Amino acid sequence: MPGLTAPADVEAAGTACDLALLLRGRVPPAALRVEGDAGLLTYWFTLVPPV
């Protein structure tokens, strides 16, 4: 999107499979490459529980 230039507070990177498993609560954030405040991932899951 144009105009979005602010850096992310946290970024998780990995394979598509690893990211899908993270979103479903099957692997911890430590299983991925996390840059930034990893605590925000835990907070995000309290707001949006895994399906």
Side-chain angles (χ1 to χ4, degrees):
M1 298 181 87
L4 296 179
T5 59
D9 292 326
V10 65
E11 179 180 323
T15 65
C17 181
D18 287 343
L19 291 168
L21 290 172
L22 174 72
L23 292 176
R24 287 170 177 75
R26 302 291 186 172
V27 298
L32 303 171
R33 289 185 316 277
V34 178
E35 294 184 17
D37 185 357
L40 290 175
L41 290 175
T42 304
Y43 179 66
W44 185 79
F45 282 114
T46 63
L47 298 174
V48 183
V51 290

